[in-house]
Amino acid sequence: MALNTVIGVTNKSLRSSVSQLFGGPYSATQMTYALRKLRLKGLITRIPHTNSYTLTSEGIRFAITYTKLGQRILPPFLQPINSRPPPDYSAHSTRLITMSATISNTQNSKPLLENLAQN
């Protein structure tokens, strides 16, 4: 049995962990909102006469499921996305620059633009 199931977590203790995970500040208001949403969805419950929360059985099941999903199932699916090289847009941008220069250098560019729009 984990210690937090006995004594629970508070807004302050959980907020410090979340701010480390997100790599930035996480306000007390944001944490209050998140805890309220979790409580209303039945994933956590407030320990009576305290400002501490503990996971419900549904919350534990949810946490285990998403932990396994994040560790075992998602990485194989995300690996091909991360290993693809970025697309090479240099040929396209060179053509656009050339076309833009041609249009701006032409004294009467309106007929040229109309021809491009028709093609």
Side-chain angles (χ1 to χ4, degrees), residues 102-115:
T102 304
I103 291 170
S104 63
N105 289 336
T106 305
Q107 289 183 357
N108 192 3
S109 61
K110 189 173 180 181
L112 179 61
L113 289 174
E114 289 172 357
N115 287 340

Side-chain angles (χ1 to χ4, degrees), residues 13-117:
S13 66
L14 193 57
R15 190 173 67 241
S16 66
S17 299
V18 170
S19 65
Q20 286 177 356
L21 287 173
F22 285 155
Y26 200 76
S27 71
T29 307
Q30 289 174 305
M31 193 74 249
T32 300
Y33 180 75
L35 287 170
R36 182 173 185 273
K37 286 175 65 175
L38 290 171
R39 186 177 51 81
L40 291 174
K41 291 183 185 285
L43 299 176
I44 62 172
T45 186
R46 186 170 177 204
I47 300 172
H49 311 293
T50 66
N51 290 326
S52 299
Y53 297 87
T54 186
L55 285 170
T56 63
S57 58
E58 183 69 23
I60 292 170
R61 224 177 5 250
F62 183 84
I64 290 171
T65 301
Y66 276 89
T67 301
K68 287 181 180 180
L69 181 73
Q71 291 176 349
R72 298 179 187 171
I73 297 172
L74 288 180
F77 286 111
L78 296 177
Q79 194 274 331
I81 294 171
N82 294 335
S83 64
R84 282 189 222 145
D88 182 21
Y89 293 115
S90 60
H92 298 294
S93 58
T94 304
R95 275 188 243 142
L96 287 174
I97 291 169
T98 306
M99 219 166 64
S100 173
T102 304
I103 291 170
S104 63
N105 289 336
T106 305
Q107 289 183 357
N108 192 3
S109 61
K110 189 173 180 181
L112 179 61
L113 289 174
E114 289 172 357
N115 287 340
L116 286 174

